[in-house]
Amino acid sequence: MTVTVRYGEWVSPVTAVMATEGMSAGQIAAPAYVGTVGAEVWWTEPRPTEEGRMALVRRRADGSTETVLPTPWNVRSRVIEYGGRPWDAHTGADGVLLVFVNFADQRLYAYDADVPGAGPRPLTPVSTVGGGLRWAEPEIDVDRGEVRCVLEEFTGEGPSDVRRVIVAVPLDGSAQRDRSAVRELCDDGHRFVGGPRFSPDGSRAVWLAWDHPYMPWDAAVLRIAEVDVQGRLHRVRTLTGGPGDPIAQAEWAADGSLLVAAERTGWWNLYRVDPETGQAVALHPAEQEFAGAQRLGLRWFAPLPDGRVAVLRGLGAQRLALLDPVTGVVTEVPGERSEWLPQLAVSGDRVVGVAGGPAQPYEIVEYDLPTGDLRVVRAGQHAPVDRGYLPEPLARVFTGPDGERIHALLYPPRNVDHAGSGAGESDPPPYVVWVHGGPTMRAPVALNLEIAYFTSRGIGVVQVDHGGSTGYGRAYRERLRDQWGVVDVGDCAIVARAIVDEGLTAPGRVAIRGISAGGFTAAASLVATDAYACATLLCPILDLYGLASGQTHDFESHYLESLVGPLATVAQRYRDRSPAAHPERIDVPFLLLQGLDDPICSPEQSERFLSGMSGHPVPRAHLTFAGEGHGFRRQDTMVACLEAELSLYGQVFGFTPPGVPVLALRS
């Protein structure tokens, strides 16, 4: 029997605890850094109930699954603060040798995973200078008795006192107290390096490199070198890439050829590149994305032993397909999973990755090339509720005043037990505009129980891929160039007003919510528009001038030069677009959520923003969380945030959510 209940007061089995079991750092929780070790599949996965650690998991050949390291071991790198692939493993006579990065001290450790009684042993020293020594993308070289990886080394106390190089660390432990025992394989001529790949015969290596003020998706080049008998890289040169043709990924095929994802046409497509000349031949030219915005450890394609290439491709969401580089034919792998993450791994005739869909959580799946079967290796968090309580996304394209296309995912309220009503009238449901982080990211099309927490209670959600989002080509992404705080704010407002005009909701019944860069867009929207009745700001950027003046980490310290403009020439623009500079323009309630250990969006920004609000009679709440960084990883934190957000909407939109503590709003 369907019961008519006020929107926001629908009774839902999707609890805050259930919803946050599927979240990590403000995003849908997903396995990451998938790899194959012989016949086994290994990966990291978030554990919100274990202090938010990243656990390393292995699936043995017999199908059994186990956690490799107990608490408190946390397999996670802090290189460029966002990290990168933190482990590698090799099967030998004594079983599996694992090398991993431990989050707490950022040291590399070796662990004989199949030797009873063995424990992790450190391979690298501790540095007390600045952020110390950090490691990512390890690759074990058993022949040389070492592990190659990316080293991030702080040379001073400031966030930008840092150098990055490709190094080799001895596996015998001789470098655990001796930094000089770590061999540097290349110079530090570039600010950033990542994605090192050594050719099958070991004679060559390639890697990505870029420098300030560029981000990797703007100007990463592909460096190539020969490997001498001592394993050092020499005759180093730039092979391809740079501004206008950034490189997202490079891989050696089994036959020694070089495959590269480049954006030279305005779309990330795949090319075969001559290692001598850099001449590139497109394998399948298309106005689709075969890669995306690169950070360390992401992998959109993987060469197969038979010469084909496993690829991810699409507009917006990317699906798994097989590319024949000889004919250029792409064959899509069928199935319901429409969203594959850039986490591909290959072993023999198996392709392993992380995939989800509107009705499926992210899961580790394995595609069998000979049979065409797709099977689940590690099941995700399937909600123990009827599907009638779960949201169903509607892909929408809204149109701006100048004809610009704005991509969005619309999630109407949905609860099999309830129909809705307004406050005793026929008002439509409230909606919340969700703004993704990045801002060079997009909203994933995968089951999100945080969204279900709201939609199953009668609150609609619309995720906006504003101009600047990835997945729709360079022209769409570069709509945000110099226009952050303008295009994103405008696109979200267009969508918010469109759903009012369509009768999906009503004036005064739309909120906005954003995390990190999305938190900036949400806060800036309160300053620049009257489209919203309230806002939730998670780990937000609030002061662009402060961010550009050294109040963030090195990786993104020059990011604003492309998003806003050069600080030296447009300093006033930074002040004009900063929410912290215009507190008097904010006249609707908001909730601000902040981790106190956030190195990216400093807690000091939130404090200064709230100080500026002093004297302005706007209801607001500020919740802070010790031990949390950029985005939240502990379940108790995420539950508190989700319930506080629901309480905010109840107070603003006039409903009383059952079983939720009342958020104290103070002016």
Side-chain angles (χ1 to χ4, degrees):
M1 177 178 177
T2 300
V3 179
T4 299
V5 180
R6 180 180 300 180
Y7 289 117
E9 296 182 2
W10 293 1
V11 177
S12 170
V14 183
T15 65
V17 170
M18 184 190 302
T20 54
E21 286 174 351
M23 299 302 297
S24 177
Q27 302 179 48
I28 308 173
Y33 305 117
V34 179
T36 55
V37 183
E40 299 183 355
V41 180
W42 291 46
W43 65 89
T44 63
E45 66 181 32
R47 299 277 177 85
T49 58
E50 297 177 12
E51 296 296 309
R53 78 177 182 120
M54 295 296 289
L56 185 64
V57 183
R58 70 190 289 187
R59 183 185 186 277
R60 296 181 180 271
D62 63 5
S64 62
T65 299
E66 65 187 53
T67 301
V68 179
L69 296 160
T71 57
W73 294 103
N74 186 352
V75 183
R76 179 178 158 212
S77 168
R78 283 190 62 183
V79 170
I80 69 168
E81 294 300 349
Y82 291 108
R85 183 170 54 83
W87 71 273
D88 190 34
H90 175 80
T91 300
D94 297 324
V96 174
L97 171 65
L98 166 70
V99 173
F100 69 95
V101 180
N102 182 47
F103 180 74
D105 57 11
Q106 287 299 290
R107 298 175 84 179
L108 271 181
Y109 286 80
Y111 175 52
D112 295 306
D114 295 320
V115 175
R121 57 186 187 276
L123 297 179
T124 56
V126 173
S127 169
T128 59
V129 178
L133 301 171
R134 301 175 179 180
W135 317 82
E137 305 203 285
E139 181 181 7
I140 297 171
D141 184 342
V142 291
D143 293 334
R144 296 186 183 279
E146 58 191 16
V147 53
R148 298 183 293 251
C149 54
V150 172
L151 164 64
E152 180 177 75
E153 180 174 23
F154 282 80
T155 58
E157 297 304 316
S160 292
D161 298 328
V162 65
R163 61 192 293 268
R164 299 174 183 90
V165 289
I166 300 170
V167 300
V169 177
L171 284 169
D172 62 9
S174 58
Q176 66 172 283
R177 293 185 179 87
D178 182 6
R179 165 66 180 86
S180 65
V182 176
R183 295 195 305 126
E184 297 192 7
L185 303 182
C186 70
D187 63 29
D188 58 359
H190 287 280
R191 187 72 169 190
F192 300 93
V193 295
R197 299 286 190 271
F198 287 74
S199 61
D201 64 4
S203 66
R204 287 176 168 173
V206 293
W207 64 96
L208 305 184
W210 67 98
D211 293 288
H212 288 320
Y214 294 109
M215 299 304 289
W217 49 85
D218 293 323
V221 300
L222 185 65
R223 301 280 278 171
I224 188 168
E226 296 181 16
V227 182
D228 67 17
V229 293
Q230 285 79 36
R232 294 186 298 256
L233 306 179
H234 67 119
R235 298 180 182 172
V236 181
R237 58 194 171 91
T238 295
L239 184 62
T240 187
D245 183 25
I247 307 302
Q249 183 187 341
E251 302 287 345
W252 296 97
D255 62 1
S257 61
L258 188 59
L259 303 176
V260 173
E263 202 192 28
R264 54 183 51 190
T265 65
W267 298 88
W268 296 107
N269 281 187
L270 259 60
Y271 298 82
R272 190 183 299 279
V273 174
D274 187 320
E276 300 297 336
T277 66
Q279 182 178 358
V281 177
L283 300 182
H284 182 86
E287 291 189 349
Q288 288 186 330
E289 301 282 45
F290 283 73
Q294 175 62 279
R295 287 187 178 133
L296 273 66
L298 304 185
R299 201 177 190 203
W300 287 269
F301 70 91
L304 301 171
D306 63 8
R308 291 180 295 172
V309 186
V311 299
L312 302 183
R313 62 138 188 188
L315 286 174
Q318 293 174 307
R319 300 179 64 107
L320 178 66
L322 302 176
L323 168 63
D324 185 333
V326 176
T327 64
V329 173
V330 172
T331 305
E332 190 167 282
V333 172
E336 293 181 299
R337 293 173 176 82
S338 56
E339 179 84 61
W340 287 68
L341 299 182
Q343 298 285 342
L344 291 184
V346 167
S347 178
D349 55 10
R350 300 177 299 151
V351 180
V352 183
V354 179
Q360 296 88 24
Y362 285 129
E363 300 179 307
I364 296 182
V365 294
E366 182 178 84
Y367 180 66
D368 185 86
L369 291 165
T371 65
D373 292 336
L374 191 68
R375 66 186 183 94
V376 175
V377 170
R378 176 68 156 184
Q381 186 215 4
H382 286 266
V385 299
D386 188 279
R387 287 185 65 168
Y389 298 105
L390 301 180
E392 292 185 340
L394 303 172
R396 294 287 305 274
V397 178
F398 295 88
T399 304
D402 297 322
E404 64 270 26
R405 293 163 61 86
I406 304 165
H407 298 273
L409 294 170
L410 186 74
Y411 293 87
R414 189 166 186 254
N415 184 315
V416 70
D417 297 327
H418 293 293
S421 69
E425 303 174 4
S426 59
D427 292 336
Y431 263 79
V432 185
V433 172
W434 280 29
V435 193
H436 62 69
T440 314
M441 293 176 66
R442 63 173 179 82
V445 189
L447 179 62
N448 185 335
L449 292 184
E450 261 202 332
I451 292 178
Y453 181 77
F454 293 103
T455 57
S456 64
R457 286 169 169 76
I459 303 168
V461 170
V462 58
Q463 293 182 296
V464 180
D465 280 347
H466 55 72
S469 301
T470 55
Y472 308 100
R474 183 194 299 162
Y476 194 82
R477 191 178 77 236
E478 293 199 340
R479 282 187 59 219
L480 206 59
R481 183 168 291 278
D482 295 337
Q483 297 296 313
W484 195 31
V486 178
V487 163
D488 51 325
V489 169
D491 284 0
C492 289
I494 288 167
V495 172
R497 290 178 175 130
I499 61 176
V500 170
D501 293 343
E502 293 176 11
L504 298 175
T505 186
R509 292 179 68 78
V510 181
I512 188 168
R513 173 226 230 222
I515 183 169
S516 184
F520 164 77
T521 300
S525 295
L526 299 189
V527 170
T529 79
D530 60 358
Y532 308 103
C534 61
T536 301
L537 314 175
L538 298 96
C539 313
I541 296 167
L542 298 165
D543 178 6
L544 296 180
Y545 190 88
L547 197 73
S549 303
Q551 295 177 6
T552 191
H553 62 136
D554 187 58
F555 175 62
E556 293 179 321
S557 60
H558 292 256
Y559 195 3
L560 299 188
E561 293 194 28
S562 62
L563 294 173
V564 182
L567 180 63
T569 57
V570 294
Q572 189 59 43
R573 184 186 296 171
Y574 282 71
R575 296 185 178 93
D576 290 344
R577 295 185 190 172
S578 293
H582 308 288
E584 74 284 354
R585 299 183 189 174
I586 297 177
D587 58 5
V588 298
F590 65 86
L591 168 63
L592 198 162
L593 304 166
Q594 179 71 56
L596 294 179
D597 296 338
D598 191 339
I600 296 171
C601 298
S602 165
E604 287 75 15
Q605 286 214 0
S606 294
E607 294 292 346
R608 287 197 303 274
F609 172 68
L610 292 170
S611 294
M613 292 292 301
S614 178
H616 297 288
V618 175
R620 54 191 178 269
H622 180 212
L623 304 184
T624 61
F625 302 93
E628 292 282 15
H630 192 60
F632 306 132
R633 296 178 181 273
R634 298 174 181 170
Q635 189 172 40
D636 56 347
T637 299
M638 293 187 284
V639 166
C641 292
L642 206 55
E643 292 183 339
E645 184 177 356
L646 180 59
S647 178
L648 170 71
Y649 300 149
Q651 294 179 59
V652 171
F653 297 125
F655 61 83
T656 303
V660 173
V662 176
L663 174 69
L665 294 172
R666 298 179 176 86
S667 298

